Amino acid sequence: MGLFTRRTPSAPAAAPVQEQGSAVATLEVDPALAALTGDYVIDPAHSSIGFTVRHAMVTNVRGSFADHEGTLRLDGSDPSRSTAAIDVKIASVTTGIADRDAHLLGSDFFDAELFPLMTFRSTSAAHLGADAYRITGELTIKDVTRPLSIDLEFAGSATDVYGSERVGFEGSAEILRSDWGLTWNAALEAGGVMVSDKVKLTFDISAVKQA
């Protein structure tokens, strides 16, 4: 997802280059980060995709999707060429309350039998500075596809005890659920509504490099 242009003290920026009277800044690529370039598979056992929504105007309800899969193509030398694809099974939603989960799966919300998947496909990636990045793409829910940008923080890389090379990142985004046709609500006697339109999405991802 274009997470790997972070420079270390051993890899400083190159001096500005003059081209036709203009100063053009160029950055050296850290060889260690460039070496992370490759194809990755998201490890669902060590990753989570969650959400937070305001309930009854006074508190937050949190949930997650336990069943998801995805692939990343990371380019450490040119982050803008990195890509991501994620598929989430709606039926795996959990908020800790069975009745609430059943309501989410029904026609008032996700209508999971007709629309079993939520998907994200990236279209671009950008470095915002330091360890901050933004991945932009298309989020599809209930056959409605709209643009979504996810702000990310590179969490590092490591080789696990099985010899697999892993990378990690944390991300978040805010959406209006009504933009994807999730419009159910109920009015409160004191004013306001039962469920906020704004939803915060959270991503904690560990991905394994493929041979």
Side-chain angles (χ1 to χ4, degrees):
M1 282 192 175
L3 304 176
F4 303 109
T5 53
R6 181 174 64 170
R7 298 193 306 274
T8 65
S10 62
V17 177
Q18 295 290 332
E19 292 186 1
Q20 298 179 351
S22 299
V24 179
T26 60
L27 299 179
E28 294 180 2
V29 176
D30 186 335
L33 299 182
L36 296 176
T37 297
D39 296 313
Y40 291 75
V41 172
I42 292 175
D43 176 8
H46 298 95
S47 303
S48 66
I49 297 176
F51 59 89
T52 303
V53 63
R54 199 76 171 164
H55 178 261
M57 311 292 290
V58 297
T59 190
N60 290 320
V61 169
R62 293 175 173 82
S64 63
F65 297 92
D67 195 347
H68 53 83
E69 60 185 23
T71 58
L72 313 176
R73 171 64 185 175
L74 304 181
D75 191 323
S77 300
D78 184 358
S80 67
R81 298 177 61 182
S82 300
T83 61
I86 301 174
D87 294 336
V88 177
K89 291 188 177 180
I90 296 297
S92 69
V93 67
T94 177
T95 63
I97 304 295
D99 287 346
R100 182 165 58 206
D101 295 347
H103 191 194
L104 289 174
L105 293 175
S107 58
D108 283 343
F109 286 96
F110 289 112
D111 206 353
E113 288 191 7
L114 288 178
F115 309 102
L117 286 180
M118 173 172 62
T119 66
F120 177 80
R121 299 291 184 267
S122 68
T123 56
S124 65
H127 181 208
L128 304 182
D131 292 336
Y133 298 81
R134 179 169 294 151
I135 187 78
T136 298
E138 296 183 334
L139 177 68
T140 300
I141 306 174
K142 296 181 71 173
D143 278 356
V144 176
T145 300
R146 295 182 60 86
L148 175 69
S149 292
I150 305 171
D151 288 333
L152 302 166
E153 182 178 356
F154 174 46
S157 63
T159 301
D160 65 23
V161 296
Y162 302 104
S164 298
E165 187 173 5
R166 290 178 178 267
V167 295
F169 63 89
E170 300 173 359
S172 65
E174 288 189 350
I175 66 171
L176 298 179
R177 60 189 178 89
S178 59
D179 287 343
W180 280 267
L182 303 172
T183 57
W184 182 91
N185 228 320
L188 302 175
E189 290 185 6
V193 292
M194 182 68 73
V195 184
S196 67
D197 192 17
K198 182 184 295 184
V199 179
K200 181 179 181 181
L201 304 176
T202 57
F203 306 85
D204 288 281
I205 301 297
S206 176
V208 179
K209 193 173 187 179
Q210 302 301 288

